[in-house]
Amino acid sequence: MKLSKIFDWYSEDFEKNTNRKSESWQGIKNVNTENLSQFLLLYKTALNLSSQQISVLEQDNAELEFLDYDWALNATQ
């Protein structure tokens, strides 16, 4: 599964959130995700994940690849 490099850089925001008292992703408290796979499963519908992708994430067997970040996205025009 290929993900944005942002998931690699800011992994703390998406992982180990069980019973977190402070706000995590988008101001949500107590997200209860131990790893990136669990976080992605929260958004399986929005991400349009296939049943196979969901199964792999549920088993925490996903091979994650982080894409190179396109710094041109930050350029002003």
Side-chain angles (χ1 to χ4, degrees), residues 32-48:
N32 293 327
T33 56
E34 282 292 320
N35 54 48
L36 188 51
S37 293
Q38 289 178 2
F39 177 82
L40 293 172
L41 286 168
L42 293 175
Y43 300 95
K44 61 186 172 193
T45 302
L47 294 169
N48 198 28

Side-chain angles (χ1 to χ4, degrees), residues 19-67:
N19 298 320
R20 185 177 184 166
K21 300 278 188 266
S22 63
E23 293 181 353
S24 56
W25 176 247
Q26 293 185 343
I28 299 170
K29 291 185 180 179
N30 298 322
V31 175
N32 293 327
T33 56
E34 282 292 320
N35 54 48
L36 188 51
S37 293
Q38 289 178 2
F39 177 82
L40 293 172
L41 286 168
L42 293 175
Y43 300 95
K44 61 186 172 193
T45 302
L47 294 169
N48 198 28
L49 298 178
S50 69
S51 57
Q52 181 182 5
Q53 289 171 316
I54 292 169
S55 177
V56 168
L57 288 170
E58 288 174 339
Q59 296 170 24
D60 198 22
N61 289 331
E63 291 184 27
L64 302 177
E65 178 182 342
F66 299 103
L67 301 169

